[in-house]
Amino acid sequence: MSNQTPDNSEPTLPLLRQERENVVDFGGLCPLYYAPMHYPTEVELYEPSFDPHSAALHENSRQPAATVKVQVPLPCGHFNIWRPLHDRRAPVAARLARFFVGSAALQPDGRVVAPNNSTWDSRISYSSADDEYYENGHVLPVINGWRHGTLAARSLFRKVEHDWMMTYLAPEQGNSHQQPLAVWRFNYAESRRAVERFHAVLGFSLFAESAAVEWCVRPLSSRRFRRIPIHVLTPEEARYFSEIGSGDSGESHADDSLEQRARIIEQYCGQILAYRASSNEYNDYVVHSVPALAADLTQYVEGEYGFELAVSFVPASEGPDGWQKAQVARQSLHHPISGRMREGEDALSRCGLDFRIKLRDDIVVPPVSVELTHALTATAPEQRLCMDGPGCNFTICVRDPENTVGSLQPPIGAHEHVLRADSEYFAALLESDMAESSSKQVELEGMPYGPVRSAIYFLYADSVPREESMDLNDWIVLLDVASRLSIPRLHQLSQARILAEV
């Protein structure tokens, strides 16, 4: 396995290379749907639920009354199951307080409300040893079964090795028709908070050189997945990571080791760190991700209202057990989370998958960039350029599928350096060897004329024409246009307006 570079960002799996048709499309993924889950807040996890209709039978009994189980619907699939902690402040019974990390506030009615003492606003941890998901740092399971927490999954299963006392997610044996895949979706739009930081422990193991695991991420507003690079530490770099058993504290001072470790992590920010382990009598090639080390993946999703995280598997091409050579969330059955209620964060550090998200209030629309300001005033500092105005040297034609009278949609005139400054789409187009770059004209297929004109106008005026009269559908269409033309500021503005309308 060779180190991946950040430049090679296109996924290998064809399904993940398929673009969305619009911002609410799944891009070829088939979402899974399940019945609503029940979040156990008012009843002991392993006690039977109490039927409220039989409460009258216990009124005259000396036995303490049972507590009714609170049912909080958590729809799966594209509706998304994860929500920030501040959106679920349901009180918990006092006897369940030990499941929660940190101090808890006792209420007058005898119940306990557990505050969020974590650095993260949303944290989802999956333990393959328990086959359960844990939410927001609490060691009280919220979902049972790895598949129930995914947006989509195919050709995967949870393998349990009772002889080696290990468990992990692996490709289904003998399935050569579909490449194994799992996708998780994180959607915080309902809370109207955007992602500020995203760190994740994405544990994997490879036991053959031809086997591979590939992680990809796609913001909810983006049309395509991007591959997350994997860096395999060199033996020299691995010395500073004591958790992989290769540290050598005798040769260097502890402070120097920590500093060098921090530099390595910073150097490969945005990548998953792994290491080459020693071969054994069963496997000549062994690569593991650095245990419990959360990769900083903020650069892929910062400022977004959510994202999708996918992992695809490539089984080994040699040997009868090639399907077993690529593993995710490998964990010892000797170290489950259940029964480790007092360990809190230390117990959750055993999880092979651990997603940690810090959120910020609302979407912040950044100011006009210096590059765009300079482009608008380069020819005449006292007078800004305007769309369809003097000096336009680039023509945008829109082939609107809803239009039947082409003469009513005149071409849009723009300035090449203005388009370059604030649209990643036009910047890439104009820097390419395509015919549009030399002809200074592009034809946009299948896009609505009005929103395209509004998007180009936004580059010049920093506002959307007739904004006060736009409704929710108008903003959704404009969001899709901003995504396709890669105009980040308009994209964020559209997101903010959509949330204000909801």
Side-chain angles (χ1 to χ4, degrees):
M1 173 181 172
S2 60
N3 292 346
Q4 302 170 10
T5 61
D7 296 330
N8 187 14
S9 61
E10 185 172 325
T12 303
L13 184 63
L15 180 61
L16 296 183
R17 291 202 301 267
Q18 182 173 335
E19 294 189 2
R20 306 180 196 265
E21 294 182 3
N22 51 60
V23 294
V24 295
D25 178 56
F26 290 108
L29 298 177
C30 297
L32 303 172
Y33 296 90
Y34 302 98
M37 302 293 175
H38 296 155
Y39 187 71
T41 57
E42 292 291 336
V43 66
E44 187 67 60
L45 185 62
Y46 301 107
E47 288 179 0
S49 300
F50 175 69
D51 183 5
H53 299 291
S54 62
L57 301 177
H58 298 270
E59 287 183 356
N60 299 325
S61 174
R62 294 183 179 180
Q63 297 180 354
T67 307
V68 179
K69 185 175 185 176
V70 173
Q71 297 184 355
V72 179
L74 296 172
C76 293
H78 75 280
F79 294 106
N80 178 65
I81 57 176
W82 316 128
R83 300 179 64 183
L85 181 63
H86 73 275
D87 281 349
R88 186 185 295 124
R89 301 288 290 179
V92 299
R95 64 180 180 276
L96 295 183
R98 70 180 186 275
F99 286 92
F100 293 82
V101 178
S103 60
L106 184 65
Q107 302 298 299
D109 58 4
R111 293 180 295 176
V112 174
V113 174
N116 180 18
N117 294 325
S118 173
T119 306
W120 309 99
D121 293 299
S122 179
R123 180 180 178 185
I124 307 301
S125 310
Y126 170 73
S127 167
S128 59
D130 306 89
D131 198 22
E132 292 172 332
Y133 289 88
Y134 301 86
E135 187 177 30
N136 294 323
H138 301 158
V139 286
L140 180 68
V142 63
I143 288 181
N144 179 264
W146 71 270
R147 190 180 296 270
H148 291 171
T150 62
L151 167 70
R154 69 181 193 186
S155 304
L156 288 178
F157 80 115
R158 174 176 171 261
K159 169 67 175 176
V160 179
E161 297 180 343
H162 293 288
D163 49 352
W164 294 98
M165 294 302 289
M166 299 296 294
T167 180
Y168 46 84
L169 303 183
E172 291 179 347
Q173 185 175 8
N175 188 345
S176 59
H177 305 293
Q178 292 182 326
Q179 187 169 351
L181 172 75
V183 183
W184 292 267
R185 184 179 176 92
F186 300 82
N187 185 359
Y188 303 103
E190 185 177 343
S191 67
R192 302 194 178 187
R193 304 182 74 192
V195 176
E196 180 178 329
R197 282 187 292 145
F198 171 43
H199 292 195
V201 175
L202 306 177
F204 70 90
S205 297
L206 303 175
F207 295 95
E209 197 162 0
S210 60
V213 165
E214 184 174 285
W215 292 93
C216 300
V217 63
R218 177 171 64 182
L220 296 186
S221 62
S222 177
R223 301 175 66 84
R224 63 178 62 185
F225 276 99
R226 290 182 59 190
R227 184 194 302 182
I228 301 173
I230 296 174
H231 173 72
V232 179
L233 297 169
T234 65
E236 176 63 26
E237 292 172 332
R239 294 175 55 247
Y240 300 101
F241 292 80
S242 58
E243 58 265 57
I244 64 179
S246 58
D248 188 359
S249 58
E251 294 186 5
S252 59
H253 193 273
D255 292 341
D256 295 336
S257 299
L258 291 175
E259 182 179 354
Q260 185 62 29
R261 173 193 171 99
R263 288 178 178 175
I264 294 172
I265 293 175
E266 182 180 3
Q267 179 182 356
Y268 298 108
C269 182
Q271 303 186 42
I272 304 168
L273 297 186
Y275 67 99
R276 179 78 180 265
S278 302
S279 58
N280 51 50
E281 58 180 311
Y282 302 101
N283 300 286
D284 296 328
Y285 181 89
V286 180
V287 170
H288 299 293
S289 57
V290 177
L293 181 64
D296 185 351
L297 306 178
T298 304
Q299 65 191 64
Y300 301 103
V301 298
E302 186 177 9
E304 299 286 345
Y305 272 107
F307 56 91
E308 293 157 350
L309 189 71
V311 59
S312 58
F313 296 70
V314 178
S317 56
E318 69 275 6
D321 297 328
W323 59 273
Q324 207 171 5
K325 302 300 184 180
Q327 306 174 5
V328 161
R330 181 179 173 89
Q331 189 175 343
S332 170
L333 292 172
H334 292 299
H335 301 100
I337 306 303
S338 58
R340 304 287 195 265
M341 306 309 175
R342 292 178 184 154
E343 296 186 32
E345 296 277 349
D346 292 333
L348 291 176
S349 67
R350 303 191 188 99
C351 294
L353 299 177
D354 195 1
F355 314 107
R356 308 167 188 175
I357 297 95
K358 178 69 176 177
L359 301 172
R360 69 185 183 208
D361 294 333
D362 211 349
I363 282 186
V364 179
V365 180
V368 177
S369 66
V370 176
E371 292 79 6
L372 180 57
T373 302
H374 178 72
L376 291 170
T377 59
T379 54
E382 70 282 355
Q383 184 178 5
R384 290 169 65 96
L385 298 178
C386 61
M387 182 179 69
D388 290 327
C392 290
N393 58 358
F394 195 87
T395 303
I396 303 170
C397 300
V398 183
R399 190 178 290 275
D400 189 340
E402 301 296 328
N403 177 48
T404 57
V405 186
S407 60
L408 296 181
Q409 295 183 345
I412 303 170
H415 299 82
E416 181 179 336
H417 56 288
V418 173
L419 297 176
R420 287 176 182 269
D422 215 34
S423 169
E424 298 173 6
Y425 169 81
F426 285 112
L429 178 70
L430 292 168
E431 292 172 4
S432 69
D433 296 329
M434 299 177 65
E436 291 85 350
S437 178
S438 56
S439 66
K440 307 300 180 184
Q441 180 174 322
V442 66
E443 187 174 282
L444 303 177
E445 295 277 355
M447 298 181 69
Y449 179 81
V452 170
R453 190 172 184 86
S454 296
I456 303 303
Y457 177 87
F458 178 81
L459 297 178
Y460 287 88
D462 194 34
S463 64
V464 177
R466 299 179 298 279
E467 180 176 339
E468 64 282 352
S469 62
M470 294 177 63
D471 59 17
L472 179 61
N473 290 331
D474 294 331
W475 283 110
I476 292 176
V477 173
L478 186 59
L479 174 65
D480 184 58
V481 170
S483 177
R484 296 180 66 175
L485 297 181
S486 297
I487 306 177
R489 294 184 62 256
L490 179 59
H491 187 278
Q492 291 172 304
L493 175 65
S494 300
Q495 283 186 311
R497 294 295 185 268
I498 289 172
L499 289 177
E501 293 282 344
V502 175

